[in-house]
Amino acid sequence: MVILGIESSCDDTAAAVLRDGAVCSSVVASQDEVHHKYGGIVPELASRSHIRAIVPVIERALAQAGMGLEAIEGVAVTAGPGLVGSLLVGLSAAKAIAFARKLPLVGVNHLEGHLLSPQLDAEVPFPYLVLLVSGGHTSLYWAEARARYHCLGRTRDDAAGEAFDKVAKILGLGYPGGRVIDELARSGDRRSIRFPRARLKPGRHGRRFDFSFSGLKTAVWQYVRERQAADVDAAAVAASFQEAVVDMLLDTTLAAASEMGAQRLVIAGGVAANSRLRQRAGDAAAEFGLAVAMPAFRYCTDNAAMIAYAGSWRLLRGQRDSWSLNAAADLEL
Ligand code: KG4
Ligand code: ZN
């Protein structure tokens, strides 16, 4: 089955074509330049940029796959969670194509796309533990089987990627901050500043493996504020901050892996592109006998290949959404 995937939940406009689960093309148009000077995403600018980009991005995905619209047999589109104005752009384009070509349409949960993203490169057998770390989410899921995902924990305040972006802003490095901090941290001493690591007790909701990054973000802000700009070694701050994030992510993830008796761990989402997290996760996996799968860089950050992949399973099972499919900003998995 040839499926067109469309993703516009946040600040990337993306389209991809999959044939029988294999990626024929995956095109992502980033809006980093639009939001860079604001140090974060401006939702209204994001939706307007999606409107300008969506048709050219879909055309490029088809061209790179060497296909026309007539070859497409189903359309999968992100229906949430995300920015509602952004989601509506992809959703409207998907509906228009599906309606005009009389194709089946399915809405996909963006988080399911991330959870399944390593499968684009190589099959990861269920069940597995997933650490989903992105700009909007930091959660642990037990992926029992397709469409059976259980949330074991999530952040109670900032997402890990959001913390990277905010610290980059504090250091005057622009948006998005993750990649810049990752690069800067390579030349800094990660042991030079001891930032706090939060360890949370089980929460009201019974979740045992929650995260919190706001204390760490505040500690970095205080550290920088208490010093003259010339006395702040940005590389040391970046490396020490990054090490604290990685410690917190892996401590909680390994505790959950042990509790669940997990044999496989998936790390997905934009922050899974972080080189230190990848290195430390690889080391920890070897130590604890876990098989760890992390998506290729191009599938860590937002993309439509993972949406098409998640949608293909539903389409093949005959699932369809109606034309009343709507965007849901806080769609649960
Ligand atoms: O998954 P994604 O593209 O979008 C969301 O669904 O949120 O993730 C974007 C996030 C941003 O916060 C960005 O700073 C972070 O991923 N990120 C990184 C790296 N590359 C992207 N964080 C740490 N290290 C990186 N190398
Ligand atoms: Zn995402």
Side-chain angles (χ1 to χ4, degrees):
M1 191 174 192
V2 181
I3 291 165
L4 174 68
I6 298 177
E7 150 68 38
S8 68
S9 65
C10 194
D11 62 339
D12 291 305
T13 319
V17 177
L18 255 68
R19 184 198 292 273
D20 301 331
V23 182
C24 303
S25 67
S26 176
V27 174
V28 181
S30 155
Q31 299 180 5
D32 287 353
E33 265 176 41
V34 176
H35 306 289
H36 186 269
K37 62 173 178 258
Y38 303 103
I41 298 166
V42 184
E44 181 57 28
L45 294 181
S47 1
R48 289 186 211 179
S49 302
H50 283 307
I51 290 174
R52 279 191 293 272
I54 192 82
V55 173
V57 163
I58 293 170
E59 283 173 344
R60 264 166 57 207
L62 290 167
Q64 283 181 20
M67 293 177 198
L69 264 186
E70 69 288 344
I72 302 298
E73 295 167 289
V75 183
V77 60
T78 306
L83 300 168
V84 82
S86 291
L87 287 163
L88 284 170
V89 177
L91 210 56
S92 307
K95 283 185 192 173
I97 291 170
F99 184 79
R101 304 278 331 154
K102 300 188 174 59
L103 297 173
L105 170 80
V106 282
V108 170
N109 186 307
H110 180 84
L111 304 178
E112 183 180 28
H114 278 302
L115 255 56
L116 299 175
S117 57
Q119 311 271 9
L120 288 164
D121 296 312
E123 195 195 336
V124 183
F126 292 102
Y128 54 79
L129 180 69
V130 191
L131 171 64
L132 171 59
V133 265
S134 71
H137 298 271
T138 297
S139 306
L140 274 169
Y141 287 97
W142 181 247
E144 198 186 321
R146 278 301 278 264
R148 288 219 299 275
Y149 313 113
H150 310 280
C151 182
L152 305 178
R154 59 172 62 155
T155 181
R156 296 198 194 155
D157 38 62
D158 294 345
E162 199 178 351
F164 270 95
D165 295 335
K166 286 179 179 168
V167 166
K169 195 173 178 179
I170 293 168
L171 294 173
L173 302 171
Y175 173 87
R179 202 168 358 129
V180 191
I181 291 197
D182 193 345
E183 276 159 25
L184 185 61
R186 281 173 209 176
S187 55
D189 178 359
R190 55 181 175 262
R191 285 172 298 266
S192 55
I193 311 159
R194 182 75 196 168
F195 288 125
R197 276 96 166 130
R199 268 171 191 270
L200 300 183
K201 297 208 173 74
R204 284 182 281 132
H205 310 286
R207 290 190 308 264
R208 306 253 331 264
F209 302 104
D210 278 355
F211 301 91
S212 167
F213 295 97
S214 70
L216 171 61
K217 175 193 67 188
T218 307
V220 175
W221 179 74
Q222 273 169 346
Y223 178 91
V224 173
R225 194 193 53 170
E226 282 163 5
R227 284 164 182 79
Q228 302 289 338
D231 296 332
V232 174
D233 177 350
V237 174
S240 304
F241 158 77
Q242 179 174 272
E243 199 65 9
V245 174
V246 172
D247 275 347
M248 283 193 276
L249 289 174
L250 290 182
D251 269 7
T252 305
T253 302
L254 293 172
S258 146
E259 162 110 2
M260 300 303 293
Q263 291 175 6
R264 281 170 294 275
L265 168 66
V266 160
I267 306 184
V271 182
N274 185 269
S275 59
R276 184 70 182 149
L277 177 60
R278 291 175 90 92
Q279 180 192 11
R280 293 261 321 266
D283 294 348
E287 191 183 334
F288 292 92
L290 274 171
V292 62
M294 290 172 277
F297 285 115
R298 63 187 178 284
Y299 302 137
C300 283
T301 44
D302 288 347
N303 65 86
M306 66 183 191
I307 302 302
Y309 185 87
S312 63
W313 186 77
R314 298 179 186 282
L315 285 166
L316 284 168
R317 289 163 58 102
Q319 288 184 20
R320 308 284 181 260
D321 277 305
S322 72
W323 303 127
S324 61
L325 174 67
N326 206 352
D330 50 6
L331 189 65
E332 293 277 341
L333 191 62

